[in-house]
Amino acid sequence: DTGVSQDPRHKITKRGQNVTFRCDPISEHNRLYWYRQTLGQGPEFLTYFQNEAQLEKSRLLSDRFSAERPKGSFSTLEIQRTEQGDSAMYLCASSSIGRVGETQYFGPGTRLLVL
Amino acid sequence: AQSVSQHNHHVILSEAASLELGCNYSYGGTVNLFWYVQYPGQHLQLLLKYFSGDPLVKGIKGFEAEFIKSKFSFNLRKPSVQWSDTAEYFCAVISYGSSNTGKLIFGQGTTLQVKP
């Protein structure tokens, strides 16, 4: 079990640029989640996939955000025309549904700073 | 809207003191409850979870939590804290309504500082 990995770990960009983050879930997990965490707050749900299907998106996810999970394995989160308000930690989590419930395991996150 | 409230934002304790962190949630249906911990410089790790059954659940490193359905609470406890427990603690809930989305709703977090 290698855990959830995310790349890059840090990203500094200028306002207006596009950025893309990658998440590699735990291999046997069929669910993948994206969250955003700002300073002093708990993580907030952005979107989730079951296999390759994106099943729910939060209202936090504006049109500038898009996420994919093309083969049901890794996922990418793209932010177009970044704004300073996008600065945050972007977390990825994966899970599989057990007999009783679901436990999500988190990656280290990608910290985005928009200048 | 569903929400999770953590009562204490910053707690300072001396080693060997007892710890209780409060967590209340707003949803009245079926819930799964979690406590996650984030040690300095590390990622979120699962501390313990409640799905069903015995409302007193035990987690790693001597932590436990009690689910009290009537109070919509899931408080975290540890009888004797150590300096290494210094971290940020998050309570989180999955509420299963009409959809089967397992999205976690997190509280704001509690920063615990343990003085040696």
Side-chain angles (χ1 to χ4, degrees), chain B residues 1 4 8-9 20 28 31 33 35-36 40 43 45 47 49 51 58 68 73-74 82 85 87 93 98-99 101 113-114:
Chain B
V4 176
N8 315 97
H9 297 305
E20 181 160 3
V31 292
L33 299 157
W35 276 96
Y36 283 87
H43 60 276
Q45 300 172 36
L47 201 54
K49 61 189 178 186
F51 288 159
K58 295 190 185 299
I68 303 179
S73 71
F74 190 56
Q82 301 173 313
D85 294 324
V93 174
S98 56
S99 72
T101 304
Q113 184 182 352
V114 180

Side-chain angles (χ1 to χ4, degrees), chain A residues 3-6 23 26 33-35 37 43 90-94 103-109, chain B residues 36 43-46 92 104 106:
Chain A
V4 178
S5 62
Q6 292 186 246
C23 171
I26 294 171
Y33 296 81
W34 285 99
Y35 294 85
Q37 186 178 18
Y90 290 85
L91 298 169
C92 176
S94 71
T103 301
Q104 293 177 35
Y105 296 91
F106 284 82
Chain B
Y36 283 87
H43 60 276
L44 276 168
Q45 300 172 36
L46 181 69
L104 285 163
F106 283 86

Side-chain angles (χ1 to χ4, degrees), chain B:
Chain B
Q2 299 149 13
S3 65
V4 176
S5 175
Q6 292 184 236
H7 310 155
N8 315 97
H9 297 305
H10 198 157
V11 173
I12 302 173
L13 295 172
S14 298
E15 274 193 315
S18 64
L19 170 72
E20 181 160 3
L21 301 182
C23 173
N24 286 89
Y25 60 93
S26 64
Y27 186 68
T30 301
V31 292
N32 290 167
L33 299 157
F34 305 82
W35 276 96
Y36 283 87
V37 61
Q38 189 165 25
Y39 298 104
Q42 297 187 28
H43 60 276
L44 276 168
Q45 300 172 36
L46 181 69
L47 201 54
L48 48 77
K49 61 189 178 186
Y50 171 81
F51 288 159
S52 63
D54 188 343
L56 185 63
V57 293
K58 295 190 185 299
I60 59 172
K61 303 186 180 185
F63 286 91
E64 65 179 31
E66 185 176 13
F67 170 50
I68 303 179
K69 190 173 181 179
S70 61
K71 295 185 177 180
F72 300 92
S73 71
F74 190 56
N75 293 353
L76 181 71
R77 298 194 293 249
K78 185 171 184 179
S80 175
V81 295
Q82 301 173 313
W83 176 79
S84 58
D85 294 324
T86 295
E88 191 154 19
Y89 293 80
F90 293 95
C91 180
V93 174
I94 296 176
S95 64
Y96 290 100
S98 56
S99 72
N100 194 26
T101 304
K103 65 183 178 186
L104 285 163
I105 301 168
F106 283 86
Q108 282 184 292
T110 298
T111 301
L112 172 65
Q113 184 182 352
V114 180
K115 294 183 175 180

